[in-house]
Amino acid sequence: MNSKPEMANNIKEIFSEVPKRYELINHILTFGMDILWRRKAVKIATNANSGDWLDMCTGTGETAIYLNKNAPEGTKIHAADFSPAMIAEARKKTDAKNINFVSADIKALPFPDNSFDLITMSFATRNINLNKEALIKSFSELNRVLKPGGLFVNLETSQPPFRVIRICFHLYMNFFVAQIGGLISRSKTGYGYLAKSIPLFYSAEKLAAIMLQAGFDEVTFQRLMLGATAIHQARKNDSNFLHLNCGDISGQILRDSSIPGDVQVWMEIFIEGPAPGNISEVEWRIVRSRFISSQYFLDLSMEAALQGADNRYQKLEDAKNYKEVILWFDACMFDQTIMIHLIDRLSKIDLTNTKLSLICVGEFPGFDSFNGLGELSPEQTASLFDTRHEITKEEIKLASLAWKAFTSNNPEEIEKVISGDTSALPYLGKALKRFLQKYPSTANGLNRTQNGILKSVFSGTDKLSSIFEEVSSFEKPRFMGDTSFWQVLYDLANAKIPLLVIEGPENLDKINKVDSERLTKKELRKWNVSLTNTGKKVLKNEEDYILLNGIDCWFGGVQLSGKDAQWRWDKDKQILIQNDKILDK
């Protein structure tokens, strides 16, 4: 059912025309039955827990007022609508003085997750959108702001199951409602739209199926007036799990699995950019958001990055509203650094009534070389759910110590963690050591990935995808996706004194966007990569990349800048060495 009246696109304008006579017309056209239907819906709604109740698409506030009169003591009534004219009319009512009216569009509600114990909606579902996919998205948004176990009650016109009655109902809408409603309201457009949209709307059974697809559980309905109207009620899944992970792909796999609960993908990359530990919370979010928005391949504004950070950290604060929070991570340093950050953060939130659990895997049956949760199917992911364990005091202690070291301006703090007992988090030590190998080497100023790229090209590998596969094959587990890898290549080719030459149809920064369409291996073969003479000298340790080009880069809480980088990685000794000690050599 994708067809819809033309006027659906102008629904906001339509409803701005009719607020003053809106209720009167509805009473006349339904012979007063709409009053009884609303009261019946409100009676069902009062089965919800007290707390915060929202009447969505409230119109002139009729249902919100009924809720206010019948709500248990201590319940706060909120009413939202996208029409300022409707809200203005609702606010005039004496019985509405204690109701919190909010201007809001159901497509993007301005409320945090899990805000309301009850959401009601009356004769508004048709006006959201008759398109099934759009309706699922709007219902999903309602599901998002409903608390786990919360109740959703929806009153709407429906399709009578018996054909003769259905035909009569549609004739009544077309020849009576459209004419009389338009005459009284002086808005022929508005009630013409009403008459056209009702016959196109879903049956009670189909609307229930859409609610289920939007994530609601326990969906039931009862027909009224021979099926011309229906009241649906549904619950938000109260399994009350919050899943935290750090990959778009693995996050979607988790959502597609049979595991219940909300999924929050931690969209960060702490192994890149500044992560200083000696700044305030506000400064931390600004610093990280500024870095994220500066990465050309992400195509994200500072405002959007900062809003994303605020939303993520608010989700951590909301963790106390869940029965259990489960962290999903694998063994790579990308995952491990985010994992210790989240464990450290969550340990500082009062989670007295919330269980904190961890699933951390470095291998999986059937995989000779396991590279992370993003490789698993929804069924394979679901099989890991029962392997979770409650995070121990030892794990929290180690994670907090490691995160403090990671954000320190002295990288030797990380080495202290590595040399200590990291058995509580078995993949952490190796991940942190791999992180230290991101520092420029004592031999030629290249880090491990950069050196691997130059070696690959020198050996004769000159195609983008082949270089990526060859260099990545030495990482176990892999931590870098192709987007980040292209960034490294781009930097080596665009340095003041470049080490690479990349020739192709266009610059890498044009194709290298996170949300851009992936290029196939065949398409990537259009780019050729070769070493410059300087690149060959650096690879032979005859020149130094940092002395040639300088550096301005953060490694957790450490910033290296200029041509005298304070810290370098000694591959032979497998330790960091300070710059003055390098010069002494």
Side-chain angles (χ1 to χ4, degrees), residues 564-581:
D564 298 319
Q566 184 181 358
W567 296 96
R568 297 240 189 165
W569 176 254
D570 189 314
K571 181 182 177 182
D572 296 329
K573 295 181 179 179
Q574 292 288 292
I575 59 171
L576 285 175
I577 294 181
Q578 285 184 284
N579 192 47
D580 55 352
K581 295 178 182 178

Side-chain angles (χ1 to χ4, degrees), residues 340-341 343-345 347-348 393-408 410 412-422 425 428 432:
I340 59 175
H341 174 67
I343 292 177
D344 178 60
R345 280 296 182 108
S347 72
K348 296 171 182 175
K393 291 180 180 179
E394 290 74 22
E395 287 172 322
I396 292 173
K397 182 179 179 180
L398 176 57
S400 296
L401 179 67
W403 181 249
K404 184 178 180 180
F406 186 83
T407 58
S408 169
N410 182 359
E412 289 179 315
E413 295 299 315
I414 295 179
E415 290 187 311
K416 290 178 183 178
V417 173
I418 296 171
S419 63
D421 182 7
T422 60
L425 297 169
L428 180 60
L432 290 177

